Amino acid sequence: MEITLNIALFLHRVFGYRGVILFPWLARVFDRCDGRSNTLPPLIRSTKPSQSNIHEIRAKSVTYYQVLIDTRDMPHIRAQTEAVTFLGNQERDRNLYAIPGLDYVAHEDVIPYTSTERTPIEHELFDKFLLHDSEATPNFVPREYLKSWQERHHHWLELSDVAKDVTHQIRVTVIPFYMGSRSAQGVSVHWWRYSIRIENLNPDEPVTLRERHWRIFSLSGTLETVRGKGVVGHEPRLSKEYPAFQYSSHISLSAPSGHMWGTFKMEKDDGTFIEVRIPPFNLECKSEPTDNKTSI
């Protein structure tokens, strides 16, 4: 497999953190707000997703980057910094691995910048991945370890589909990842993680996320409804000072595929509520590699 590397320093347009780009992914983006008014009814009305109640959306290809986040900036980011998780080898290892400060950033959110520091980004993987080179621009080049690491973990890192939608000037972006499966007493359970960014496109009108409402449809024919307060223990306020919030969560199904969709209940400062769509996205199983090594 040919490895393409895009080593560069950047600032995140939305979250403001410093980072370094490692390599790109080409993702299919399904943007359901394109050409559609916010006054249209919710995307899904029935209890099960079907072709009749989902607008046909054409995917466009967008470049996303795998990046390292500067650990000095992590305490100030309104986003979970453990954005990448995966399962260990099924036969020998039942742990869940998390890599702190490894994120996915769309090309439109990248602001290039330069630094004269020998190690411009503080991250435990920086020196493992990159080597200082005063003649290079920027002043570091990839080590062979980065290439081998990308090859080894490609299956779990690969970003394929992104779903977006806008309701009442609140944009929700979802990126799902297949994590692998576990077998117990002959029954396989498949796991996915999904990263969600919620962004207020009109920050002059702040909103606070009060509730989440999920529908989870499994290929086995089951439909689960989940309601809860806030997300990951927070009720984030999206304002001019902090217009966006990002988090990750996990889901398991006994079937190899399914769908998720839902809504967020947001409260305005005047006490009124709005319902914001979470765009439907697929949970698809990928064949697992035979040599699933987990070493960082």
Side-chain angles (χ1 to χ4, degrees):
M1 179 180 60
E2 182 179 353
I3 303 299
T4 301
L5 300 173
N6 278 54
I7 307 301
L9 297 173
F10 76 99
L11 299 175
H12 197 290
R13 179 185 63 84
V14 175
F15 296 110
Y17 62 72
R18 293 163 290 182
V20 59
I21 292 172
L22 300 177
F23 44 82
W25 297 108
L26 193 61
R28 297 185 303 172
V29 176
F30 297 86
D31 195 339
R32 287 165 171 80
C33 67
D34 282 354
R36 179 161 59 82
S37 168
N38 282 333
T39 61
L40 288 179
L43 201 58
I44 295 181
R45 290 288 191 183
S46 67
T47 58
K48 293 185 180 181
S50 69
Q51 289 300 115
S52 63
N53 55 31
I54 299 180
H55 294 273
E56 182 178 357
I57 304 297
R58 292 183 179 273
K60 58 184 178 182
S61 296
V62 175
T63 298
Y64 276 72
Y65 300 106
Q66 196 89 60
V67 307
L68 291 181
I69 302 173
D70 195 317
T71 56
R72 295 169 295 186
D73 297 335
M74 287 185 188
H76 312 291
I77 303 171
R78 294 197 62 188
Q80 288 178 309
T81 55
E82 290 187 355
V84 171
T85 54
F86 54 90
L87 298 173
N89 184 282
Q90 179 171 313
E91 298 300 324
R92 301 184 302 273
D93 192 343
R94 294 184 176 275
N95 292 325
L96 175 68
Y97 289 83
I99 307 177
L102 190 68
D103 201 2
Y104 296 83
V105 180
H107 180 75
E108 63 183 12
D109 289 335
V110 168
I111 301 175
Y113 91 105
T114 58
S115 172
T116 58
E117 296 179 81
R118 185 179 179 88
T119 306
I121 300 298
E122 288 189 8
H123 191 285
E124 63 180 350
L125 294 177
F126 186 91
D127 288 334
K128 286 187 176 182
F129 286 169
L130 303 167
L131 177 69
H132 184 265
D133 184 346
S134 58
E135 296 182 359
T137 303
N139 293 332
F140 44 91
V141 293
R143 295 179 183 268
E144 286 300 317
Y145 182 82
L146 174 58
K147 298 176 183 179
S148 64
W149 183 87
Q150 202 266 14
E151 290 179 337
R152 188 166 64 249
H153 295 297
H154 177 278
H155 193 81
W156 313 117
L157 297 172
E158 183 179 11
L159 180 156
S160 54
D161 291 349
V162 178
K164 293 186 175 185
D165 203 352
V166 176
T167 319
H168 302 292
Q169 294 299 300
I170 308 297
R171 179 164 59 204
V172 178
T173 302
V174 185
I175 307 176
F177 300 87
Y178 182 62
M179 294 174 57
S181 64
R182 286 284 182 267
S183 293
Q185 298 180 345
V187 178
S188 293
V189 177
H190 298 272
W191 286 85
W192 292 262
R193 73 176 181 274
Y194 52 93
S195 175
I196 295 186
R197 185 204 291 186
I198 311 159
E199 188 174 0
N200 188 350
L201 303 180
N202 183 23
D204 288 329
E205 294 187 6
V207 296
T208 302
L209 195 163
R210 296 302 187 193
E211 296 178 7
R212 67 189 185 279
H213 179 199
W214 281 107
R215 298 283 183 87
I216 305 162
F217 179 76
S218 171
L219 186 64
S220 63
T222 62
L223 178 69
E224 183 180 1
T225 298
V226 178
R227 291 183 180 270
K229 186 177 181 180
V231 289
V232 292
H234 298 275
E235 293 184 29
R237 175 178 166 83
L238 308 179
S239 63
K240 183 177 294 186
E241 294 77 16
Y242 301 101
F245 183 81
Q246 181 173 299
Y247 74 98
S248 296
S249 191
H250 301 88
I251 183 70
S252 64
L253 298 177
S254 57
S257 65
H259 308 277
M260 288 182 66
W261 70 99
T263 56
F264 291 126
K265 185 177 182 180
M266 304 278 192
E267 183 179 7
K268 295 183 177 182
D269 283 357
D270 62 6
T272 60
F273 290 89
I274 58 175
E275 193 172 80
V276 174
R277 292 183 297 267
I278 305 171
F281 57 96
N282 292 328
L283 303 171
E284 296 292 344
C285 170
K286 296 191 296 183
S287 58
E288 300 184 31
T290 55
D291 184 16
N292 177 17
K293 297 179 181 179
T294 58
S295 60
I296 301 302

